[in-house]
Amino acid sequence: MPNVKLLPAALVSQWEWQLSAACRDMDSSLFFHPDNERGAARANRAAEAQQICQSCPVLAQCRKHALSAQEQYGIWGGQTEDDRRALVAGRLNPSRR
């Protein structure tokens, strides 16, 4: 769970981008891995979620939110948890930014 102090204020204008998200009415289990999911199953699920993100009209806002709020879990803005950690640490390949 992100540090709630890092979340945007409870203002509609700071959250309304979510109304246009490509994932809005999808099953969240596609974007958040179940306990003990590993290897090919996890990679395949993440790739499917990231494919949805690539056509999302609010990809940039979603990614910005995930980085600002330090979201620890799930696919956000087309990035996995590992992608975000690597980006923050300065280790992410520029093509994945």
Side-chain angles (χ1 to χ4, degrees):
M1 170 166 253
N3 180 341
V4 293
K5 292 178 183 177
L6 299 174
L7 293 174
L11 301 172
V12 170
S13 62
Q14 293 188 19
W15 294 95
E16 67 185 348
W17 59 268
Q18 293 179 1
L19 297 173
S20 300
C23 64
R24 179 164 171 78
D25 295 321
M26 294 186 169
D27 184 348
S28 64
S29 67
L30 179 59
F31 298 89
F32 295 90
H33 68 84
D35 290 341
N36 300 318
E37 181 186 55
R38 301 282 185 268
R42 186 168 182 168
N44 291 338
R45 182 199 43 76
E48 187 178 344
Q50 289 173 311
Q51 186 66 35
I52 293 165
C53 294
Q54 294 313 307
S55 64
C56 184
V58 294
L59 182 137
Q61 294 97 317
C62 184
R63 185 173 291 174
K64 180 180 176 184
H65 161 77
L67 292 169
S68 298
Q70 298 176 8
E71 291 286 355
Q72 295 179 19
Y73 304 103
I75 306 295
W76 290 84
Q79 295 178 326
T80 66
E81 300 97 332
D82 293 338
D83 292 338
R84 291 191 300 278
R85 280 192 290 274
L87 181 62
V88 169
R91 297 186 317 263
L92 186 65
N93 179 326
S95 67
R96 295 289 306 260
R97 289 181 185 207

